[in-house]
């Protein structure tokens, strides 16, 4: 297995490239409305599964004391509230720039929230993802898991292109130059990798006594944030769209099932690793 810094560097590089690629997609036209909804449902299900099957168990294991569940619940709620506030204040979670969506919304979202608010909201949102990635890699290596942090990395890899697509798509509709869109795309793509590395190194500097409880609370916070991110994509589609409900449900189920399959692989690998000792 690769060393923690090497694996984290690989994750960070993959996230950066995925984000840049997603941002560049807006230069070649928007996805169709149907494809956008199916992709969003799949990614929402996968992120929801990662939060429940991966982040939550690791967080609970590292919160000590008789009130561990209560502490985890408070931090999960804190993560959800923070993300809800960000969504409410900055109104940034718009991934569909298809012709069908434009016919309904036009340029309203660009005028209403402003690009600065969208960029700030998505930036704060990706800070949470980066912190979760760095913490999950450190936790996984302590537990001798197989490819620690893989599930969280995949969740970010799937979701980050949608966010980058939102930023560059809105900038394109607002009339910004290709150079400005490229600069914003690259800057946004760097946030998650930088925060992931900082989170990993920061947890290491805390020392073995503080590292466990601190990472446990951070992972619980990430659970709340990931659940909110997932449902902010999923619930509007279920509520407002009468078409393709079966396809959207299948996409959601596939995403959750993939997250659970990764959990089973990780659990079996950890069991085999402990058995070898």
């Amino acid at each position: 297995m690769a060393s923690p810094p090497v694996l984290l560097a690989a994750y960070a590089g993959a996230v950066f490239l995925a984000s840049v690629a997603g941002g560049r997609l807006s230069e070649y036209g928007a996805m169709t409305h149907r494809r956008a909804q199916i992709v969003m449902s799949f990614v929402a299900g996968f992120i929801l599964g990662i939060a429940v099957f991966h982040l939550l168990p690791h967080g609970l294991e590292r919160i000590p004391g008789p009130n561990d569940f209560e502490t985890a619940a408070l931090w999960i709620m804190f993560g959800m509230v923070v993300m809800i506030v960000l969504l409410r204040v900055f109104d940034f979670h718009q991934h569909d720039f298809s012709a069908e969506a434009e016919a309904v919304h036009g340029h309203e979202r660009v005028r209403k929230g402003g690009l600065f608010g969208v960029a700030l909201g998505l930036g704060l949102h990706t800070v949470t993802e980066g912190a979760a990635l760095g913490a999950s890699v450190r936790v996984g290596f302590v537990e001798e898991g197989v490819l620690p942090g893989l599930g969280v990395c995949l969740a970010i890899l799937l979701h980050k292109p949608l966010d980058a697509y939102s930023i560059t798509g809105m900038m394109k509709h607002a009339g910004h130059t290709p150079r400005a869109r490229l600069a914003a795309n690259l800057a946004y793509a760097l946030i998650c990798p930088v925060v992931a590395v900082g989170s990993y190194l920061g947890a290491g500097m805390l020392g073995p006594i503080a590292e466990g409880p601190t990472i446990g609370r951070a992972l619980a916070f990430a659970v709340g944030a990931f659940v909110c991110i997932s449902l902010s994509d999923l619930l509007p589609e279920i509520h407002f769209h009468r078409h393709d409900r079966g396809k959207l449900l299948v996409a959601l189920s596939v995403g959750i099932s993939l997250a659970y399959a990764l959990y089973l692989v990780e659990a079996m690998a950890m069991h085999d690793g402990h058995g070898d000792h």
Side-chain angles (χ1 to χ4, degrees), residues 24 28 32 36 52 63 69 115 117 123 126 130 175 179 189 207 237 245 252 256 260:
R24 295 295 296 170
Y28 305 102
T32 65
V52 174
I63 298 178
F69 286 98
L115 285 172
T126 200
R179 179 176 295 182
E237 305 314 314
R245 286 182 173 178
L252 170 69
I256 294 175
Y260 186 67

Side-chain angles (χ1 to χ4, degrees), residues 9 19 52-55 82 131 143 171 174 176 203 211 215 237 262:
S19 183
V52 174
F53 301 134
H54 294 253
L55 295 176
V82 168
E143 296 182 349
M171 290 182 70
H176 288 268
E211 181 176 336
I215 289 185
E237 305 314 314
L262 286 174

Side-chain angles (χ1 to χ4, degrees), residues 35-83:
R35 290 178 182 175
Q37 307 314 309
I38 292 175
V39 169
M40 287 164 61
S41 294
F42 168 75
V43 173
F46 188 75
I47 293 176
L48 187 61
I50 291 298
V52 174
F53 301 134
H54 294 253
L55 295 176
L56 181 58
H58 289 316
L60 286 173
E61 288 173 358
R62 276 165 175 72
I63 298 178
N67 298 321
D68 52 349
F69 286 98
E70 291 83 355
T71 301
L74 286 174
W75 280 91
I76 291 171
M77 183 58 66
F78 183 41
M80 294 184 69
V81 169
V82 168
M83 197 55 59

Side-chain angles (χ1 to χ4, degrees), residues 1-124:
M1 184 188 298
S3 65
V6 171
L7 186 60
L8 184 60
Y11 287 162
V15 169
F16 175 80
L17 293 176
S19 183
V20 171
R24 295 295 296 170
L25 283 177
S26 66
E27 304 295 330
Y28 305 102
M31 290 190 295
T32 65
H33 180 65
R34 176 173 295 174
R35 290 178 182 175
Q37 307 314 309
I38 292 175
V39 169
M40 287 164 61
S41 294
F42 168 75
V43 173
F46 188 75
I47 293 176
L48 187 61
I50 291 298
V52 174
F53 301 134
H54 294 253
L55 295 176
L56 181 58
H58 289 316
L60 286 173
E61 288 173 358
R62 276 165 175 72
I63 298 178
N67 298 321
D68 52 349
F69 286 98
E70 291 83 355
T71 301
L74 286 174
W75 280 91
I76 291 171
M77 183 58 66
F78 183 41
M80 294 184 69
V81 169
V82 168
M83 197 55 59
I84 289 171
V85 170
L86 290 177
L87 287 167
R88 184 68 182 91
V89 172
F90 298 110
D91 193 24
F92 58 81
H93 237 226
Q94 165 69 357
H95 299 315
D96 190 357
F97 289 92
S98 63
E100 296 93 330
E102 281 189 42
V104 176
H105 299 293
H107 302 301
E108 177 184 356
R109 298 183 73 101
V110 178
R111 295 194 303 267
K112 180 181 177 182
L115 285 172
F116 176 77
V118 171
L120 182 59
L122 283 171
L124 294 173

